[in-house]
Amino acid sequence: MAQKPSIPSGTRDFSPIETAKRSYIFDTIKSVFKTFGFQQIETPAMENLSTLLGKYGDEGDKLLFKILNSGDAFSKLTTDDLGNSNAAATKVCEKGLRYDLTVPFARYVVMHQSEISFPFRRFQIQPVWRADRPQKGRYREFYQCDVDVVGSTSLLNEVELIQIVDEVYRRLNISVTLKINNRKVLSGLAELMNAADKLTDITVAIDKIDKIGLEKVKEELRERGIADSAIAVLEPILTLSGSNADKLSKMREVLKDSEVGLLGVQELSTIFEYLQNLNLGCKVELDLSLARGLSYYTGAIFEVKANDVEIGSITGGGRYDNLTGIFGLPNVSGVGISFGADRIYDVMSQLNLFPESTLVGTQVMFVNLGKQEELASIKLALQLRQKGVAVEVFPENKKLPKQFDYANKRDTPYVAIIGESELQQGTVALKNMKTGEQNSLQVDELTSLLLKKLTVNL
Amino acid sequence: MAQKPSIPSGTRDFSPIETAKRSYIFDTIKSVFKTFGFQQIETPAMENLSTLLGKYGDEGDKLLFKILNSGDAFSKLTTDDLGNSNAAATKVCEKGLRYDLTVPFARYVVMHQSEISFPFRRFQIQPVWRADRPQKGRYREFYQCDVDVVGSTSLLNEVELIQIVDEVYRRLNISVTLKINNRKVLSGLAELMNAADKLTDITVAIDKIDKIGLEKVKEELRERGIADSAIAVLEPILTLSGSNADKLSKMREVLKDSEVGLLGVQELSTIFEYLQNLNLGCKVELDLSLARGLSYYTGAIFEVKANDVEIGSITGGGRYDNLTGIFGLPNVSGVGISFGADRIYDVMSQLNLFPESTLVGTQVMFVNLGKQEELASIKLALQLRQKGVAVEVFPENKKLPKQFDYANKRDTPYVAIIGESELQQGTVALKNMKTGEQNSLQVDELTSLLLKKLTVNL
């Protein structure tokens, strides 16, 4: 009995059209990264579990996909282990699938530090895997597109990442707002609240303000042991309005007694100064309620929202000061952002932003009308292909309506016909499948006409 | 204590230069596939083990990487299971990493048959994983580049795949020979040897002729129970020399009483007839000792060798008649080939074939000489980037030799200098890092000069 095939829950097949749309996003992002002088690296899908465990918190550890050791994996396992899945897993699995691109990158920098010229500007576009409960918009395998500079504390790096965001979304034609804040400002606020030791609790709570609103955030802060008096200090800051300059001057006043807080304000000011000279297309907004959950951020933090679609952030990142420390290379500061390809895809689908050229596979299909006709077609196809046109020759001499139906279903824009009379006259009939218009052309005319309209965009 | 990081044996990190070279290979292959109207799909890294098991023989089953079920994986395991790693693995693992792209493709075609217009021309470029013993040139994670047409028995498909091979290697500048044979010819020979039931044994043995030589193949055939008289029939065929036409006419004679054998000869003749009209750059050679190990081939089989490097085949494939049958869709014939990116990489490295443009990341680096100079640099960088030039601005005002050293180490071809005098005069000094030549240019001149020489090739 044949089995009915399926794929694991939370994973996806990508059809030709989906793959083409996704490639359009990846290629656009990649080409912007390249114009900023970033270089691509790739790391293995599998990392040693010792590299991954303990880097994403207890919750993250549980979401790692572990790979069974090959060979006689179970020989080390005892009956006692069976009661404890964690202990058992450690004995039968040494490897896991990467959970993000950040930890593998830190591992890469440490392993290859002698080959790298710092500042190291790298990008990486690869899938990651998480054993999360699958749900709408949340997958167990998905791509991340990360771009980072490590080994430079200059704020110009932050500015260039903002320029990259601006340029990527300009090319993708998505209207966005970039929100920026600084962890040092949040640290300063925590000092002001007499809760410097609770910075993580505060950022975790603030981080939810978009989803749950101010009142619930205050509730959560109370539950996490923040005094009402401290919350009263924080509240007006979270709801601060006005221009970026207004907000900055207000914060400079509020944080006047916090060294770290003022440093954060100064970093933000410097970034805004740069941006004034760079004519960005997107709006950059200082958002003092922006916190970003990840505890490793230490300076600027970013998040990008699509203006015309209700969806979570489509890009995010920030500065971190000690990512490589855990692998034995301390004091390497870095800053990076990550583009969320799946959400960008959803935004572009909803707004119908994929250019038509992305959706075309084969550009011209030659119908197949018999031996001699076929031969003339494949010779001509060869010439067109060498000039970069995507050409198909229908492989069988089937009834013409069937062949046209095939071209139609695949949205092929042109069908070329070489029949008996065309063969005699050395011509080709070209049918525009959208308009239905059909013209008889000399072979040379066909080539130059098609070249004007079509070339493979790789 | 910081841990010293490492990666699992048999896996690789790819540095910027390695990734750029690999991308050059993938992009070239991809763009040829596209000009032949093939469309890309992607399938998940993880497949259900029920999809993978039993498809690659017992040996293949052992080489599958299995993924531990998430959650309490070991609760189903009993003490009895511990003695039997296979049984235990089945209870704690439901998923595995894909072993090749062929089985996932067959699974895809069956699952999505209602959305597909046949003939379905697809390509797929993704990594696969095998728990093989790692050794030189053999990895546990490697990419495959597969291109297949399913749902058409026309030999034009075989011909187009040969054209694709020719065009890919023409573009990569690798001189190759394509060897072709036909499984039906081998079936006919087995009939002639009175050993039709031993076709698999015969092909497995013949397949090794390149590695172990004729005498050892004969020995192995004997060991596999083939009579000496039968080997005497086979031997002159395996060593047949002469032109393709000579070999075909010889085989037509030898196989005159075998229906299947003659069909195979006819298929080969038809393919060669097509090729005569197509002006291939590479040599196509009928090699009657070519067998290809995989048992699912039923018609034409191909293998490609690099002419100037001693290395195994760099591309291979063939026609299969029932790949989707096991998933419930019988009678779908297909033909496909697979490019081996790692071996192609090795060939190109040995012959120094990577074009220099592939190896350049950043094309121009602006040095950083202070606040005002930096600002002028980043404004100019922005203009250049928008025109497609890959530009970097050194992010810190370090000593000039350090900045030049950085550019040198990264093989950046040009360094642009905006210092005090350039700032006053509105000029830029451009240094060619190879020749050492330095010129003072107006901003407009710089832009047009660089555009002539450099644009990001994506």
Side-chain angles (χ1 to χ4, degrees):
Chain A
M1 257 291 289
Q3 43 181 145
K4 203 180 163 196
S6 65
I7 53 175
S9 72
T11 70
R12 294 166 288 175
D13 281 329
F14 295 108
S15 70
I17 193 85
E18 287 163 340
T19 305
K21 288 177 177 173
R22 287 166 58 85
S23 295
Y24 174 72
I25 295 172
F26 293 131
D27 291 347
T28 302
I29 291 173
K30 198 169 152 173
S31 105
V32 174
F33 289 169
K34 283 186 170 188
T35 61
F36 280 78
F38 285 83
Q39 297 184 302
Q40 192 170 15
I41 67 162
E42 292 197 346
T43 63
M46 297 189 269
E47 293 276 354
N48 291 322
L49 279 174
S50 57
T51 299
L52 302 176
L53 284 167
K55 309 303 188 299
Y56 307 105
D58 290 347
E59 203 43 49
D61 282 354
K62 282 186 204 144
L63 300 184
L64 292 173
F65 277 113
K66 301 186 179 78
I67 294 161
L68 197 66
N69 295 340
S70 38
D72 196 11
F74 292 87
S75 59
K76 287 188 215 153
L77 214 58
T78 65
T79 310
D80 287 351
D81 296 322
L82 295 185
N84 182 341
S85 271
N86 267 345
T90 312
K91 287 198 176 176
V92 300
C93 301
E94 281 164 5
K95 297 179 286 293
L97 294 176
R98 71 175 157 246
Y99 179 89
D100 69 3
L101 302 179
T102 307
V103 167
F105 174 51
R107 196 260 315 137
Y108 179 98
V109 169
V110 176
M111 268 181 75
H112 301 273
Q113 52 186 293
S114 64
E115 312 150 27
I116 295 172
S117 317
F118 293 94
F120 184 39
R121 303 159 74 82
R122 90 84 173 78
F123 74 90
Q124 194 170 352
I125 301 179
Q126 290 191 282
V128 302
W129 295 269
R130 297 183 185 178
D132 242 325
R133 191 198 306 262
Q135 57 183 55
K136 190 176 176 306
R138 190 201 282 162
Y139 306 102
R140 293 184 141 191
E141 173 180 52
F142 58 96
Y143 269 74
Q144 292 192 330
C145 311
D146 279 23
V147 59
D148 292 79
V149 190
V150 295
S152 164
T153 54
S154 164
L155 293 169
L156 179 55
N157 298 300
E158 273 84 342
V159 171
E160 290 205 330
L161 293 178
I162 295 171
Q163 286 186 281
I164 285 177
V165 165
D166 188 54
E167 182 65 13
V168 164
Y169 290 113
R170 190 187 67 75
R171 294 195 190 185
L172 294 177
N173 208 10
I174 302 176
S175 161
V176 300
T177 300
L178 186 139
K179 296 185 174 194
I180 184 170
N181 196 6
N182 191 299
R183 270 292 170 87
K184 295 188 181 82
V185 169
L186 294 174
S187 295
L189 282 172
E191 282 180 13
L192 217 65
M193 292 160 71
N194 279 318
D197 56 324
K198 294 221 157 123
L199 179 61
T200 304
D201 285 297
I202 296 170
T203 54
V204 168
I206 295 181
D207 202 38
K208 300 178 183 161
I209 198 164
D210 261 14
K211 282 187 198 144
I212 63 176
L214 178 65
E215 287 311 311
K216 294 242 159 153
V217 167
K218 284 163 65 182
E219 218 169 273
E220 186 166 333
L221 286 167
R222 252 174 245 124
E223 278 162 20
R224 288 174 180 264
I226 310 291
D228 278 341
S229 58
I231 296 175
V233 171
L234 183 63
E235 183 170 352
I237 309 296
L238 296 183
T239 56
L240 207 58
S241 62
S243 72
N244 293 330
D246 291 347
K247 287 178 189 168
L248 280 175
S249 73
K250 170 77 180 172
M251 290 312 294
R252 202 169 277 124
E253 197 186 299
V254 169
L255 292 168
K256 64 181 182 301
D257 296 324
S258 163
E259 196 182 337
V260 64
L262 281 181
L263 188 55
V265 174
Q266 188 48 48
E267 289 180 8
L268 286 167
S269 299
T270 305
I271 291 172
F272 280 112
E273 253 172 66
Y274 273 112
L275 296 180
Q276 266 172 17
N277 289 293
L278 289 172
N279 258 327
L280 292 192
C282 75
K283 190 177 164 198
V284 179
E285 185 187 314
L286 173 56
D287 179 352
L288 291 154
S289 74
L290 177 67
R292 304 250 336 135
L294 279 169
S295 59
Y296 57 70
Y297 291 125
T298 51
I301 45 182
F302 314 103
E303 229 166 71
V304 179
K305 297 263 182 182
N307 291 333
D308 304 321
V309 175
E310 268 301 324
I311 200 166
S313 80
I314 56 179
T315 297
R319 178 166 292 271
Y320 42 85
D321 276 340
N322 199 17
L323 204 58
T324 56
I326 197 148
F327 297 119
L329 185 66
N331 304 321
V332 177
S333 185
V335 57
I337 51 171
S338 182
F339 287 82
D342 286 304
R343 283 194 179 159
I344 295 174
Y345 185 97
D346 289 345
V347 169
M348 295 189 63
S349 297
Q350 283 190 47
L351 300 177
N352 226 339
L353 294 179
F354 289 105
E356 211 175 329
S357 61
T358 318
L359 315 181
V360 171
T362 295
Q363 296 163 320
V364 193
M365 187 192 87
F366 282 82
V367 293
N368 191 325
L369 297 170
K371 211 68 210 149
Q372 286 311 308
E373 294 85 346
E374 183 192 74
L375 190 57
S377 299
I378 61 181
K379 283 184 179 176
L380 191 47
L382 177 64
Q383 287 177 34
L384 290 169
R385 283 164 178 159
Q386 281 175 347
K387 300 210 159 111
V389 184
V391 183
E392 219 172 312
V393 180
F394 197 84
E396 288 161 30
N397 180 5
K398 285 200 176 162
K399 292 206 170 119
L400 211 49
K402 278 217 165 182
Q403 299 190 39
F404 271 98
D405 186 45
Y406 169 84
N408 245 332
K409 279 196 181 136
R410 287 167 45 101
D411 285 323
T412 306
Y414 291 94
V415 168
I417 304 154
I418 300 185
E420 216 174 316
S421 67
E422 284 83 6
L423 211 50
Q424 278 171 9
Q425 295 159 31
T427 57
V428 188
L430 187 70
K431 180 165 182 165
N432 181 324
M433 295 294 280
K434 220 175 207 169
T435 63
E437 195 187 345
Q438 184 170 323
N439 288 307
S440 180
L441 302 167
Q442 298 297 318
V443 169
D444 301 350
E445 288 177 315
L446 175 80
T447 312
S448 61
L449 179 85
L450 288 177
L451 279 178
K452 242 179 273 167
K453 306 204 176 196
L454 319 159
T455 36
V456 168
N457 41 356
L458 224 207
Chain B
M1 256 293 287
Q3 42 181 145
K4 203 178 162 197
S6 65
I7 53 176
S9 72
T11 70
R12 292 166 289 174
D13 281 330
F14 295 108
S15 70
I17 194 85
E18 288 163 340
T19 305
K21 288 177 176 175
R22 288 165 58 86
S23 295
Y24 175 71
I25 295 172
F26 292 132
D27 290 347
T28 302
I29 291 174
K30 196 169 155 175
S31 105
V32 174
F33 289 170
K34 283 187 169 187
T35 61
F36 281 79
F38 285 83
Q39 296 183 303
Q40 189 169 16
I41 67 163
E42 292 197 346
T43 64
M46 298 188 267
E47 292 276 353
N48 291 322
L49 279 175
S50 57
T51 299
L52 302 176
L53 284 167
K55 309 303 187 299
Y56 307 106
D58 290 347
E59 203 44 48
D61 282 355
K62 281 186 206 145
L63 299 184
L64 292 173
F65 277 112
K66 300 186 180 78
I67 294 161
L68 195 67
N69 295 339
S70 38
D72 197 10
F74 291 87
S75 59
K76 286 187 216 154
L77 213 59
T78 65
T79 311
D80 288 351
D81 296 321
L82 294 185
N84 181 342
S85 271
N86 267 345
T90 313
K91 287 198 177 175
V92 300
C93 301
E94 281 166 5
K95 297 179 285 291
L97 294 177
R98 72 178 157 243
Y99 178 90
D100 70 3
L101 301 178
T102 307
V103 167
F105 175 51
R107 195 261 313 139
Y108 179 97
V109 169
V110 175
M111 265 180 76
H112 300 274
Q113 53 185 291
S114 64
E115 313 149 25
I116 295 171
S117 317
F118 292 95
F120 183 39
R121 303 158 74 81
R122 91 83 172 79
F123 74 90
Q124 194 169 351
I125 300 179
Q126 290 191 281
V128 302
W129 294 269
R130 295 183 186 178
D132 242 324
R133 191 197 308 259
Q135 57 183 57
K136 192 180 174 305
R138 190 202 281 161
Y139 305 102
R140 293 185 141 191
E141 173 178 54
F142 57 96
Y143 269 75
Q144 292 193 330
C145 311
D146 279 22
V147 58
D148 292 80
V149 190
V150 296
S152 164
T153 55
S154 164
L155 293 170
L156 179 55
N157 298 302
E158 273 83 342
V159 171
E160 291 204 331
L161 293 179
I162 295 171
Q163 287 186 281
I164 284 176
V165 165
D166 188 54
E167 181 66 12
V168 164
Y169 290 112
R170 190 186 68 74
R171 293 195 190 185
L172 293 177
N173 208 9
I174 302 176
S175 161
V176 299
T177 300
L178 185 140
K179 298 186 171 195
I180 183 170
N181 197 6
N182 192 299
R183 271 292 170 87
K184 295 188 180 81
V185 169
L186 294 174
S187 294
L189 282 171
E191 281 180 13
L192 216 65
M193 294 160 70
N194 280 319
D197 55 326
K198 295 221 157 124
L199 179 59
T200 302
D201 285 299
I202 296 171
T203 54
V204 168
I206 295 181
D207 202 36
K208 299 177 184 163
I209 197 163
D210 262 13
K211 280 187 200 147
I212 63 176
L214 179 64
E215 287 311 311
K216 295 240 159 156
V217 167
K218 283 162 67 181
E219 217 169 275
E220 183 165 335
L221 287 166
R222 254 175 243 122
E223 276 162 22
R224 289 175 180 264
I226 309 291
D228 278 342
S229 58
I231 295 174
V233 171
L234 183 63
E235 183 170 354
I237 308 298
L238 295 184
T239 57
L240 209 57
S241 63
S243 72
N244 293 329
D246 292 346
K247 287 178 188 169
L248 281 174
S249 72
K250 171 77 181 170
M251 291 312 294
R252 201 170 276 121
E253 199 186 299
V254 170
L255 293 168
K256 62 182 183 302
D257 296 325
S258 164
E259 197 182 333
V260 64
L262 281 180
L263 189 55
V265 174
Q266 188 47 51
E267 288 180 6
L268 285 167
S269 301
T270 304
I271 291 171
F272 279 112
E273 253 171 65
Y274 273 112
L275 295 181
Q276 267 171 18
N277 289 294
L278 289 173
N279 260 326
L280 292 193
C282 75
K283 189 176 164 199
V284 180
E285 183 186 318
L286 174 55
D287 179 351
L288 291 154
S289 74
L290 177 67
R292 304 246 341 130
L294 278 169
S295 59
Y296 58 68
Y297 291 125
T298 51
I301 45 182
F302 314 103
E303 228 166 72
V304 180
K305 296 261 184 185
N307 292 332
D308 304 321
V309 176
E310 270 300 325
I311 200 167
S313 79
I314 54 178
T315 298
R319 179 168 288 275
Y320 43 84
D321 276 341
N322 199 16
L323 204 59
T324 55
I326 196 148
F327 297 117
L329 185 67
N331 305 321
V332 176
S333 185
V335 57
I337 51 171
S338 182
F339 287 83
D342 287 303
R343 284 194 179 160
I344 295 173
Y345 185 97
D346 289 344
V347 169
M348 295 189 64
S349 296
Q350 283 190 47
L351 300 176
N352 224 338
L353 294 178
F354 289 104
E356 210 175 333
S357 62
T358 317
L359 314 181
V360 171
T362 294
Q363 296 163 320
V364 193
M365 187 191 88
F366 282 82
V367 293
N368 192 323
L369 297 171
K371 212 68 210 150
Q372 287 310 309
E373 294 84 349
E374 182 193 75
L375 189 58
S377 300
I378 61 182
K379 281 184 180 175
L380 191 46
L382 177 64
Q383 287 177 33
L384 290 168
R385 284 165 176 158
Q386 281 174 348
K387 298 206 160 112
V389 183
V391 183
E392 219 173 310
V393 179
F394 197 83
E396 289 162 29
N397 180 6
K398 284 200 177 161
K399 291 203 171 122
L400 211 49
K402 280 217 164 183
Q403 299 190 39
F404 270 98
D405 186 48
Y406 170 83
N408 246 331
K409 279 196 180 135
R410 287 167 46 102
D411 284 323
T412 306
Y414 291 94
V415 168
I417 304 154
I418 299 184
E420 215 174 317
S421 67
E422 284 83 7
L423 211 50
Q424 277 171 8
Q425 293 158 31
T427 58
V428 188
L430 187 70
K431 178 165 186 165
N432 181 323
M433 294 294 280
K434 224 177 207 166
T435 63
E437 194 188 347
Q438 184 170 324
N439 290 305
S440 179
L441 301 167
Q442 298 296 319
V443 170
D444 300 353
E445 287 176 317
L446 176 81
T447 312
S448 61
L449 179 84
L450 288 176
L451 280 178
K452 243 181 271 168
K453 308 206 174 196
L454 321 157
T455 37
V456 168
N457 40 355
L458 223 207

